Amino acid sequence: MLDTPVAERMYIDQGEVVRVRVESDDFYDDEPGPPKMAEGVQIKSEAKRAPYNIICSIAEQGLGPVAWWNGAQDGGEHMDEG
């Protein structure tokens, strides 16, 4: 993307609907187990990672923000009609 001219770059805004392909998903069962005590004081252990990770990609035809492809589809329909 860095070698693309600024005027041709496409950005994704927060809240946009995005089509993705799931590359992988990982579930980590970090169950805390029984509470640990040190000298009568309970030690809280915090989760070190998210319990569920989904790795996705938009690097394929038809993927990315829906608005990108809706505009392309509208343009294609008008070309067929005219």
Side-chain angles (χ1 to χ4, degrees):
M1 181 173 143
L2 295 176
D3 58 350
T4 306
V6 176
E8 295 178 13
R9 293 181 186 176
M10 301 177 85
Y11 295 93
I12 301 172
D13 293 325
Q14 185 174 355
E16 281 193 79
V17 176
V18 179
R19 289 184 186 145
V20 298
R21 181 184 70 226
V22 175
E23 299 283 334
S24 67
D25 62 335
D26 299 312
F27 176 74
Y28 302 105
D29 189 15
D30 289 338
E31 190 173 310
K36 297 179 180 171
M37 302 288 274
E39 297 181 16
V41 178
Q42 186 174 356
I43 300 172
K44 265 191 170 179
S45 62
E46 304 220 3
K48 305 226 185 309
R49 57 185 168 193
Y52 189 61
N53 289 324
I54 303 172
I55 308 300
C56 299
S57 172
I58 62 169
E60 194 171 295
Q61 187 72 15
L63 301 179
V66 174
W68 291 355
W69 299 105
N70 287 342
Q73 290 173 353
D74 291 343
E77 290 173 7
H78 295 299
M79 290 177 69
D80 292 341
E81 293 172 3

